[in-house]
Amino acid sequence: MGKWAAPSALILLCLLSLLSIQDRKVQANADEGSVGSPKVEENIGAVPHGLQTDSDVVKRESESISSRSLRNNAEKFEFQAEVSRLMDIIVNSLYSNKDIFLRELISNASDALDKIRFLSLTDKEVLGEGDATKLDIQIKLDKEKKILSLRDRGIGMTKEDLIKNLGTIAKSGTSAFVEKVQSSGDLNLIGQFGVGFYSVYLVADYVEVVSKHNDDKQYVWESKADGAFAISEDTWNEPLGRGTEIRLHLRDEAQEYLEESKLKELVKRYSEFINFPIYIWASKEVDVEVPADEDDSGDEEETTDKTSSEEGEDEDAEKGEDEDTEKKPKTKTVKETTYEWEVLNDVKAIWLRSPKDVTEKEYIKFYHSLAKGFGDEKPMAWSHFTAEGDVEFKAVLYVPPKAPHNLYDSYYKSKSNLKLYVRRVFISDEFDELLPKFLSFLKGIVDSDTLPLNVSREMLQAHGSLKTIKKKLIRKALDMIRKIAEEDPDESSGKDEKEVEKSSDNDEKKGQYTKFWNEYGKSIKLGIIEDASNRNRLAKLLRFESTKSDGKLTSLDKYISRMKSGQKEILYITGTSQEQLEKSPFLERLKKKNYEVIFFTDPVDEYLMQYLMDYEGKQFQNVSKEGLKFGKDKTNKELKESFKELTKWWKGVLTTSKVDDVKISNRLDNTPCVVVTSKFGWSANMERIMQAQTLSDANRQSYMKGKKILEINPRHPIIKELRARVAKDPEDEGVKQTAQLVYQTALMESGFSLPDPKDFASRIYSSVRSSLTISPDATVEEDDDVEEVEAESETKAGSGTPKDEL
């Protein structure tokens, strides 16, 4: 027993000594860590011990990256023929809008996040633990190595997925897309065909895709777009846990994408409303207090003072705690660059929120961002709604405060102002199929969960859901415009007094619909012409002035409410100006009998009334055309019979003037006669408009011109005298000349152009001669200058050299 005691004690002492040394090392490490433990961000990209490689592997990988060559130990594959064609086009493309690559990568990352989020609804374990549960997108830059990387924590890809998704294109129609790209060069459609990933070769000459799926190991896909790609098991990069990281080794001409400001702008433009947070590893300068170096003072005396001060502080420290805190060592402030994750889309899209949760200020701010305007004017109205059913989408529509200056200059070439999103991914802001032309002035966004994301524009245009979306958008837009009128106190006549009083409290809404009509009234009229299915809804929005509107705008509903008892038609007249129409002879009897007549003075009104045939069961009647009726007021048959001889004679006199008929008028009061047109022919105003067209067809005009009818006023003294003269001598040339002159005057007063102005002028001068009792044989005196001109011409002829003398 004693023999083994000494050696055992010696061994025990050695073990205790080793443990003591180990404890001191552990404690030292712990103390060191507590002094300056690294931030989480600083560990990003670190290689865990289990994945460390020897120096040869590190060297090999470094050479691979620097030379943009595929790794030697990777498994090589050939691209599908169509992919090679596509990539060849992209690599050699001169396409100017290379920004789209980031949009496509973020869109793909969002899709991957959507997939894992869907799986997590039934199996929460697929998300893993820790950072893997954070569904976000991260963008990071390495300016030194010229690498732009984008990482998501989505579903990731297995080795088979990498081969299938990044090496082949299984979607139908890809060949057509490649052919279209070759012919048009428009690569902006690339994402709509599900091949958006390949847009990375617009800016990169070498791409790595690191991906980890829950069901497989972590792999690296790499390619230089040279017809081949390689895949290898990843044993050197940081474990992703789950998801995909894409590293773009940028071309020299694409170095702008290494700037944080450029990437922020692109995310803001294309992907601001992606439904996952997008982060960028951003630099930021902060002020940091550091001890001041002695050399910084540059003054030996200040250094001495500093030393004395420090010695004094040591002495004070022994005296007490209060005095110790008052005297601190000198420090200086320096700028230090730090890095942190900055979120780029922190505000949830307005249309994804409930309208109750969005303030007016937020709506106005969002409008300004859409309109790219910095003015203080707020939109006239907005509509925020969600459509449910077979087609689901969310939308926000705005009525801008002012119409663009060229809104109607290129009306049929104008582009839609709606931004189309599909599942929060921006598709286009020039998608004309969302709204008809007459509503192209509206601004806003439409976000659909029903429309397919990865299809061509042509396929999307023909998608059945798009027609349903368009139909609902039109209805909501018209309801929004109608609401402007309903909330306008100036439009509130006929409502309860309480409603009027309540709406009058809001001065901002007063006169809003008049403002809208002045800016966009022509669009409503064009809508009535173009959209038969919504014609009645648009007609309710129609505004005009009339003989009873007192200079204010009125509506068809108000007109009908003021119609006389027994009146069956809505009466209107067209012309160049309201001032001219108010003096029109067509209104004389109507005003006297207290009928209201609508004034239409816009050239488009003539086309409008060819489509707006009736409203609320009431037909429209142009008072300058035949067929005007005054309820029970009928022309006396005896009166017609007494003027039968005159009307028959006058029609014969006007045979050469293409007058279809001469009738007794029921619309005149102080004017002897007017010229009206047939009901379905052009009015005088329409003839004037068509004649002003640059490319007008004279043959078509002659066909469309209405038949002219001369209506005479049987109570007017001129007409009575003509009847008496005709009864006395129907062959009197003077009476015939007078009848022609009266007709031509009526033609001009009725708004028609005179076919022969010279003939009209001659008749006027003849009438003036008669009134001045000038002899019909009187002629214009000869001018003396005529003889001088003749003499001068004879002199010039005599001074010529005869041909015989040449």
Side-chain angles (χ1 to χ4, degrees):
M1 187 73 181
K3 183 171 61 176
W4 294 100
S8 298
L10 183 59
I11 293 172
L12 182 60
L13 287 173
C14 291
L15 289 173
L16 290 174
S17 176
L18 289 173
L19 289 172
S20 177
I21 293 171
Q22 187 67 25
D23 288 341
R24 284 196 298 272
K25 288 183 179 180
V26 172
Q27 183 62 39
N29 290 336
D31 293 341
E32 184 180 355
S34 64
V35 172
S37 57
K39 296 180 180 179
V40 175
E41 288 82 358
E42 293 174 355
N43 283 330
I44 290 180
V47 180
H49 181 75
L51 289 176
Q52 287 180 351
T53 59
D54 57 32
S55 58
D56 292 337
V57 175
V58 173
K59 182 179 180 181
R60 184 167 65 251
E61 295 306 325
S62 177
E63 291 175 353
S64 174
I65 294 175
S66 62
S67 64
R68 304 289 203 272
S69 61
L70 304 184
R71 293 175 175 84
N72 294 327
N73 62 341
E75 187 177 357
K76 306 297 191 300
F77 299 88
E78 294 292 328
F79 279 118
Q80 183 187 21
E82 288 184 346
V83 178
S84 296
R85 290 176 61 199
L86 175 63
M87 295 179 75
D88 183 62
I89 293 171
I90 293 173
V91 170
N92 298 297
S93 172
L94 298 177
Y95 186 54
S96 59
N97 185 20
K98 301 181 186 297
D99 300 343
I100 61 171
F101 83 93
L102 188 62
R103 177 191 72 185
E104 298 304 326
L105 291 183
I106 292 177
S107 174
N108 292 343
S110 176
D111 288 343
L113 291 167
D114 274 326
K115 290 177 181 177
I116 196 64
R117 183 169 61 179
F118 177 76
L119 292 177
S120 68
L121 297 177
T122 55
D123 184 6
K124 293 184 179 180
E125 293 183 1
V126 298
L127 291 179
E129 299 178 352
D131 289 342
T133 61
K134 299 177 181 178
L135 302 182
D136 56 18
I137 301 170
Q138 298 175 348
I139 302 173
K140 205 168 186 180
L141 305 171
D142 188 335
K143 293 186 178 181
E144 183 179 348
K145 295 181 180 179
K146 301 178 182 179
I147 297 176
L148 167 61
S149 63
L150 185 142
R151 174 179 174 177
D152 66 73
R153 291 189 172 92
I155 194 169
M157 288 180 280
T158 63
K159 180 180 178 180
E160 184 180 350
D161 291 335
L162 288 170
I163 297 172
K164 180 181 178 181
N165 296 338
L166 304 184
T168 63
I169 302 177
K171 300 186 74 66
S172 61
T174 306
S175 296
F177 166 72
V178 172
E179 292 173 4
K180 184 169 184 177
V181 171
Q182 286 178 318
S183 61
S184 66
D186 185 8
L187 296 179
N188 195 41
L189 300 176
I190 190 167
Q192 299 173 6
F193 280 85
V195 290
F197 166 77
Y198 300 105
S199 64
V200 296
Y201 289 102
L202 288 168
V203 296
D205 53 12
Y206 174 58
V207 177
E208 295 177 280
V209 179
V210 184
S211 193
K212 173 67 173 70
H213 191 281
N214 286 338
D215 298 336
D216 206 346
K217 299 177 182 179
Q218 183 164 310
Y219 286 92
V220 176
W221 178 100
E222 53 183 334
S223 176
K224 296 195 302 178
D226 56 358
F229 63 93
I231 297 178
S232 53
E233 184 180 343
D234 189 3
T235 58
W236 54 88
N237 287 310
E238 171 195 2
L240 298 180
R242 186 197 65 254
T244 301
E245 180 177 352
I246 299 177
R247 298 172 185 166
L248 308 183
H249 298 255
L250 299 177
R251 298 179 181 180
D252 292 337
E253 63 270 21
Q255 299 303 304
E256 61 178 313
Y257 299 107
L258 291 174
E259 299 297 329
E260 292 176 15
S261 58
K262 176 68 174 179
L263 297 179
K264 290 178 180 179
E265 186 268 328
L266 292 182
V267 173
K268 191 77 173 175
R269 179 181 179 188
Y270 288 113
S271 308
E272 182 180 7
F273 303 113
I274 289 290
N275 207 25
F276 299 96
I278 303 173
Y279 295 94
I280 187 170
W281 186 240
S283 61
K284 184 174 65 174
E285 286 192 344
V286 296
D287 294 332
V288 179
E289 294 287 337
V290 298
D293 296 334
E294 294 182 2
D295 294 340
D296 293 342
S297 65
D299 193 331
E300 189 174 313
E301 183 178 347
E302 289 183 9
T303 304
T304 305
D305 292 342
K306 179 181 178 184
T307 304
S308 302
S309 175
E310 290 177 353
E311 292 175 355
E313 288 178 0
D314 291 340
E315 293 175 0
D316 292 339
E318 297 176 358
K319 294 180 180 179
E321 183 178 349
D322 294 338
E323 295 182 359
D324 178 57
T325 56
E326 292 177 1
K327 296 183 179 181
K328 298 180 180 179
K330 287 189 175 181
T331 60
K332 62 179 180 179
T333 302
V334 296
K335 296 288 185 181
E336 185 175 300
T337 301
T338 62
Y339 288 85
E340 62 182 15
W341 291 111
E342 179 182 339
V343 65
L344 301 181
N345 59 339
D346 55 342
V347 178
K348 188 177 181 181
I350 279 182
W351 63 87
L352 299 180
R353 298 156 58 186
S354 170
K356 298 178 181 178
D357 300 332
V358 184
T359 64
E360 179 178 322
K361 186 176 181 181
E362 287 177 312
Y363 279 123
I364 295 173
K365 184 178 179 181
F366 182 60
Y367 167 76
H368 286 152
S369 69
L370 283 176
K372 294 180 174 61
F374 301 96
D376 296 330
E377 284 189 298
K378 67 178 185 179
M380 291 188 194
W382 56 81
S383 177
H384 180 187
F385 60 92
T386 299
E388 297 178 346
D390 295 338
V391 178
E392 295 184 358
F393 67 92
K394 298 176 177 63
V396 180
L397 301 178
Y398 290 94
V399 178
K402 290 184 178 179
H405 67 280
N406 60 343
L407 178 60
Y408 303 111
D409 294 344
S410 55
Y411 174 74
Y412 290 103
K413 294 182 180 179
S414 61
K415 298 293 184 181
S416 171
N417 287 309
L418 289 189
K419 293 181 179 291
L420 175 63
Y421 286 82
V422 176
R423 295 191 290 276
R424 268 65 68 198
V425 177
F426 175 63
I427 300 300
S428 174
D429 55 1
E430 295 183 353
F431 211 86
D432 299 333
E433 290 73 18
L434 287 175
L435 280 178
K437 292 293 183 185
F438 70 90
L439 290 177
S440 62
F441 62 88
L442 297 178
K443 294 183 182 294
I445 70 96
V446 178
D447 187 356
S448 172
D449 289 333
T450 307
L451 290 174
L453 183 60
N454 294 323
V455 296
S456 68
R457 185 185 184 89
E458 289 77 11
M459 292 173 66
L460 196 58
Q461 288 172 341
H463 199 275
S465 298
L466 197 65
K467 296 180 180 179
T468 305
I469 291 176
K470 181 177 181 179
K471 184 177 180 180
K472 292 184 178 181
L473 285 175
I474 294 174
R475 296 284 179 89
K476 287 292 185 179
L478 297 184
D479 287 343
M480 173 176 59
I481 296 171
R482 177 178 51 81
K483 191 175 180 181
I484 300 176
E486 290 177 350
E487 295 179 350
D488 187 348
D490 290 343
E491 293 272 332
S492 60
S493 63
K495 294 183 180 180
D496 295 337
E497 294 183 1
K498 292 183 178 179
E499 293 183 29
V500 175
E501 183 179 354
K502 182 178 179 181
S503 60
S504 299
D505 294 338
N506 193 346
D507 294 335
E508 291 184 0
K509 295 178 180 179
K510 186 176 179 63
Q512 275 292 91
Y513 196 77
T514 299
K515 181 182 177 183
F516 168 83
W517 184 258
N518 292 335
E519 295 290 336
Y520 305 109
K522 187 173 290 187
S523 293
I524 301 300
K525 295 176 181 179
L526 290 168
I528 294 174
I529 295 171
E530 298 170 3
D531 190 351
S533 61
N534 289 293
R535 189 161 290 155
N536 193 62
R537 291 185 180 87
L538 288 161
K540 287 185 178 294
L541 303 174
L542 194 63
R543 295 294 183 271
F544 45 81
E545 290 189 41
S546 70
T547 53
K548 292 186 178 181
S549 65
D550 298 326
K552 296 181 180 180
L553 294 178
T554 188
S555 65
L556 288 174
D557 289 329
K558 291 182 180 179
Y559 178 96
I560 291 176
S561 69
R562 295 192 293 259
M563 286 176 64
K564 288 176 59 95
S565 176
Q567 181 181 346
K568 297 180 180 180
E569 296 174 319
I570 299 174
L571 307 176
Y572 72 93
I573 187 171
T574 60
T576 55
S577 67
Q578 185 171 329
E579 291 76 13
Q580 174 205 13
L581 293 178
E582 287 175 342
K583 301 173 183 177
S584 173
F586 295 107
L587 302 182
E588 290 177 353
R589 195 94 183 275
L590 292 168
K591 285 182 177 180
K592 191 172 184 180
K593 288 183 171 289
N594 199 31
Y595 282 91
E596 184 176 5
V597 181
I598 297 170
F599 295 129
F600 283 135
T601 57
D602 194 329
V604 76
D605 291 335
E606 284 286 354
Y607 301 93
L608 166 71
M609 298 316 296
Q610 293 179 25
Y611 291 87
L612 190 61
M613 307 300 294
D614 61 85
Y615 179 77
E616 299 294 342
K618 306 290 185 181
Q619 299 291 319
F620 285 90
Q621 171 65 51
N622 188 335
V623 298
S624 67
K625 290 186 176 184
E626 67 172 342
L628 180 65
K629 297 178 181 179
F630 287 87
K632 297 180 180 180
D633 183 17
K634 297 181 180 179
T635 306
N636 194 310
K637 291 183 179 180
E638 294 181 2
L639 190 63
K640 284 185 177 182
E641 189 66 28
S642 65
F643 280 86
K644 185 176 181 180
E645 184 180 359
L646 174 63
T647 56
K648 184 178 180 180
W649 172 85
W650 209 336
K651 181 180 178 180
V653 171
L654 299 177
T655 302
T656 57
S657 300
K658 299 180 179 179
V659 174
D660 189 63
D661 201 1
V662 180
K663 297 180 179 180
I664 301 297
S665 177
N666 63 343
R667 71 187 86 204
L668 297 176
D669 187 38
N670 299 319
T671 303
C673 56
V674 289
V675 177
V676 301
T677 57
S678 56
K679 190 167 186 178
F680 299 104
W682 284 348
S683 65
N685 188 53
M686 189 63 176
E687 279 192 22
R688 177 185 59 81
I689 292 172
M690 295 306 298
Q691 288 172 356
Q693 300 296 320
T694 305
L695 303 176
S696 59
D697 187 349
N699 293 330
R700 184 174 182 272
Q701 285 187 16
S702 61
Y703 174 76
M704 292 300 298
K705 286 180 180 179
K707 295 179 180 179
K708 294 180 176 60
I709 300 170
L710 178 65
E711 289 191 359
I712 60 176
N713 183 357
R715 296 174 298 277
H716 200 280
I718 291 178
I719 303 301
K720 289 182 178 181
E721 182 63 24
L722 279 174
R723 182 182 63 172
R725 295 287 184 95
V726 169
K728 184 177 180 182
D729 184 5
E731 300 299 326
D732 187 340
E733 288 297 325
V735 177
K736 290 182 178 180
Q737 291 291 332
T738 302
Q740 285 278 8
L741 181 59
V742 171
Y743 165 73
Q744 290 176 328
T745 304
L747 191 70
M748 185 172 60
E749 188 179 18
S750 300
F752 293 95
S753 299
L754 293 174
D756 190 354
K758 179 66 176 176
D759 180 63
F760 174 72
S762 298
R763 296 182 192 281
I764 291 291
Y765 294 144
S766 178
S767 177
V768 171
R769 278 173 177 269
S770 178
S771 65
L772 297 176
T773 63
I774 298 174
S775 172
D777 298 329
T779 60
V780 179
E781 294 181 359
E782 293 290 340
D783 193 347
D784 294 339
D785 293 341
V786 175
E787 296 180 0
E788 294 179 5
V789 172
E790 292 178 352
E792 185 177 349
S793 62
E794 290 176 358
T795 303
K796 289 182 179 180
S799 63
T801 305
K803 291 182 179 180
D804 296 340
E805 298 179 4
L806 294 176

